[in-house]
Amino acid sequence: MVAPNIFSVQLLAKNKQIKHITSVDRVFPAIYELAPHIIIFDYDYLDKDMEKLLRRIRTNSYYNKIKICCFKSSPNRRIDSFLKVLGVNHVIYKDELHNPTKESINHVKSILDPSVTDILISGKEQQGE
């Protein structure tokens, strides 16, 4: 996950399935080190670097099989379409997590591991984990 250092992300960082990166220059070393199957970019945090990152990922045979999700504060048809063209597989909007409906929870769970989704939606880790 590439996002700013915020409270909910700090909770996620305790989860061993997630590597939290706050600096753009650490994205590719982290991908190389971890070989993730999915990356979540915070679009609002990375908007100026997003196109360059996506183009580099999608043109490199080592990286181009990774699923890419973008977390955005709100929908924007033009930007969302451009992100899809650049290789973003899924876009998750802030409202889907902060005001979850059954449909939005199922959408997010279809993308991410359910335990990670629960942390994102509740903002806290489950007891006993």
Side-chain angles (χ1 to χ4, degrees):
M1 172 177 282
V2 182
N5 215 356
I6 57 176
F7 179 74
S8 60
V9 173
Q10 290 171 355
L11 284 172
L12 290 172
K14 295 176 185 176
N15 187 307
K16 291 182 168 80
Q17 298 176 36
I18 297 172
K19 175 75 173 179
H20 176 218
I21 308 294
T22 59
S23 175
V24 174
D25 64 342
R26 295 291 311 142
V27 170
F28 292 99
I31 292 172
Y32 184 77
E33 174 188 335
L34 301 169
H37 69 280
I38 190 167
I39 299 173
I40 302 171
F41 289 114
D42 183 332
Y43 178 81
D44 299 329
Y45 180 65
L46 293 169
D47 66 339
K48 291 178 178 50
D49 299 301
M50 200 80 229
E51 182 177 354
K52 185 174 86 173
L53 287 169
L54 292 172
R55 288 185 189 279
R56 182 171 172 192
I57 289 169
R58 290 302 182 219
T59 58
N60 185 312
S61 62
Y62 182 79
Y63 306 133
N64 71 2
K65 303 250 186 301
I66 299 170
K67 286 185 182 177
I68 299 174
C69 293
C70 261
F71 178 76
K72 290 182 68 215
S73 57
S74 62
N76 179 306
R77 180 187 273 171
R78 186 180 61 78
I79 292 171
D80 295 353
S81 295
F82 186 57
L83 291 172
K84 294 279 186 183
V85 167
L86 291 174
V88 171
N89 302 96
H90 305 281
V91 178
I92 301 170
Y93 302 105
K94 183 178 179 179
D95 285 343
E96 288 181 318
L97 300 178
H98 291 278
N99 302 309
T101 63
K102 185 174 182 174
E103 182 181 335
S104 66
I105 290 171
N106 288 337
H107 173 240
V108 175
K109 282 186 176 183
S110 73
I111 300 166
L112 304 175
D113 179 271
S115 64
V116 174
T117 305
D118 292 341
I119 295 168
L120 281 171
I121 291 169
S122 70
K124 59 186 173 195
E125 291 191 75
Q126 301 298 318
Q127 295 295 336
E129 289 186 17

